[in-house]
Amino acid sequence: MRKSCGLNSGPGRPFNDRRWLLPFLASLLVSVTLFLAAACGLFSPPYLAGDDAFLVDVVSFTDWDDGGAPSQRDSGQSVEPEAKDQLLDDNDNPDNAAVNSDDSDAEPPRLAYLLEGTKGDGLRMRRVLQAIYHPRNQYILHLDLEAPPRERIDLAMYVKGDPMFSQVGNVRVIAKGNLVTYKGPTMVACTLHAVAILLKEGLEWDWFINLSASDYPLMTQDDILHVFSSLPRNLNFIEHMQISGWKRIQRAKPIVLDPGLYLLKKFDLSTTPERRELPTSFKLYTGSAWIMLTKSFLEYCIWGWDNLPRTLLIWS
Ligand SMILES: *[C@@H]1O[C@H](CO)[C@@H](O)[C@H](O)[C@H]1NC(C)=O
């Protein structure tokens, strides 16, 4: 290579022309080396070497999407057994079969919904109920104490008068409303109450979802049940972040008073000037209000030996 370049800049050229030759040759050499290295695949993508999370994604794609692209299969092959183990470890349960098999033969799950509303929400609750209704599911409707008895009776009559609801018998209206303060312990108490009813009545369901009258589904129940039919029934869906720093002090230390516990009219939550100690036996989290919880987890919440609901109520 050197030689041919030397020939190009033949002896007849003026001397000062040659000053650029050395840097030029050096950079040419470096570029050619880099080019060859790239062409021979010396620099493989870094994510294939290190990042486990990415590998799991690749493997799950090839596993579930039978007949994945061959090139993807090749690149993932050497790590597949390891990542597969990891996947199996994560959901160590008999429902794995359902994950890996074609979902057409898996039985669709049943969902249990709690629909909460307050004064003036009667019509909106009917609207949501119609949108999320499916004969496989269970529904509990709670209009809180702020709503006049008339509104609650109207809602109950509407449910009773609907031929579908009354024939299937899967919609319940809580006859005696409780006062519920948004974000307060009375809200958690109301949720736990509804779960307790579902468990006590021995109803069949796999996941619990609580909604308020202002929610509206983006998918039909048929689609939702279809999607969830291929998932292990022991997955809880909770979006959460750990509370830390000033937020932990500001959110968790004040003692919260819920007027819903001792008044008959709605007021916002209030706090006392006194501070409480942070818990030491568990961590505090914050997160989305939209959750989907498994029946087994809620059985533990309601029937568990360590009185979880009371702890939840204190720290909510
Ligand atoms: C569901 O219930 C929890 C606990 O009571 C509550 O914090 C949350 O806001 C509720 N979510 C909705 C969408 O109402």
Side-chain angles (χ1 to χ4, degrees):
M1 195 190 296
R2 239 165 227 284
K3 207 177 164 197
S4 67
C5 289
L7 279 181
N8 278 345
S9 58
R13 296 194 171 220
F15 176 68
N16 61 353
D17 246 5
R18 285 180 164 232
R19 266 204 272 162
W20 53 265
L21 196 61
L22 200 63
F24 172 73
L25 282 180
S27 56
L28 190 69
L29 193 68
V30 169
S31 340
V32 167
T33 317
L34 282 176
F35 177 76
L36 285 178
C40 301
L42 255 185
F43 302 117
S44 56
Y47 49 76
L48 277 186
D51 197 339
D52 270 352
F54 184 85
L55 286 180
V56 173
D57 278 353
V58 169
V59 171
S60 55
F61 264 120
T62 49
D63 265 354
W64 291 341
D65 188 47
D66 29 3
S71 60
Q72 203 180 25
R73 265 181 195 282
D74 286 345
S75 59
Q77 203 122 56
S78 55
V79 291
E80 195 156 335
E82 191 192 321
K84 209 169 190 168
D85 280 351
Q86 206 168 335
L87 269 180
L88 291 180
D89 277 347
D90 282 351
N91 6 302
D92 184 25
N93 77 94
D95 281 326
N96 272 328
V99 179
N100 295 322
S101 73
D102 186 5
D103 36 301
S104 55
D105 53 347
E107 197 191 323
R110 295 171 189 273
L111 306 178
Y113 284 94
L114 163 66
L115 192 48
E116 284 178 276
T118 183
K119 190 171 149 190
D121 278 343
L123 287 179
R124 289 201 291 176
M125 285 178 72
R126 290 183 207 183
R127 184 187 67 155
V128 185
L129 177 63
Q130 280 166 8
I132 61 175
Y133 186 78
H134 193 286
R136 290 187 72 79
N137 296 342
Q138 296 294 338
Y139 300 85
I140 295 195
L141 273 44
H142 178 254
L143 258 180
D144 78 359
L145 198 60
E146 185 88 338
R150 181 79 246 160
E151 204 173 353
R152 201 167 302 111
I153 293 170
D154 281 351
L155 187 65
M157 295 306 286
Y158 160 74
V159 169
K160 215 172 172 187
D162 186 290
M164 180 75 155
F165 300 162
S166 50
Q167 196 190 331
V168 183
N170 60 346
V171 183
R172 290 165 169 71
V173 181
I174 296 185
K176 197 175 154 294
N178 296 299
L179 205 53
V180 173
T181 315
Y182 178 60
K183 283 185 175 177
T186 45
M187 188 158 193
V188 182
C190 176
T191 310
L192 291 169
H193 179 215
V195 175
I197 294 174
L198 289 166
L199 292 178
K200 191 172 160 211
E201 307 235 327
L203 302 172
E204 229 185 291
W205 49 280
D206 301 291
W207 278 290
F208 172 82
I209 299 176
N210 61 325
L211 297 176
S212 44
S214 53
D215 290 323
Y216 199 79
L218 296 175
M219 286 170 80
T220 65
Q221 286 304 298
D222 276 330
D223 287 348
I224 293 175
L225 295 182
H226 175 72
V227 168
F228 282 100
S229 58
S230 57
L231 287 177
R233 307 277 155 98
N234 66 346
L235 292 180
N236 288 288
F237 297 85
I238 306 172
E239 195 197 330
H240 67 283
M241 295 161 280
Q242 204 177 328
I243 317 185
S244 56
W246 62 270
K247 224 174 178 182
R248 204 160 77 116
I249 307 292
Q250 204 179 38
R251 291 264 183 93
K253 284 217 150 179
I255 298 172
V256 176
L257 294 181
D258 187 339
L261 286 172
Y262 52 88
L263 295 179
L264 286 177
K265 234 183 115 36
K266 261 196 181 184
F267 290 97
D268 280 344
L269 292 179
S270 57
T271 55
T272 66
E274 287 88 36
R275 295 283 181 263
R276 58 181 167 182
E277 285 309 309
L278 295 176
T280 49
S281 56
F282 53 89
K283 290 178 184 161
L284 295 176
Y285 290 88
T286 175
S288 164
W290 286 272
I291 47 178
M292 182 158 161
L293 303 174
T294 62
K295 190 179 190 184
S296 54
F297 175 63
L298 287 168
E299 277 169 354
Y300 166 69
C301 288
I302 301 289
W303 292 331
W305 50 267
D306 54 0
N307 210 355
L308 189 62
R310 191 137 46 131
T311 319
L312 281 178
L313 289 172
I314 292 173
W315 287 101
S316 67

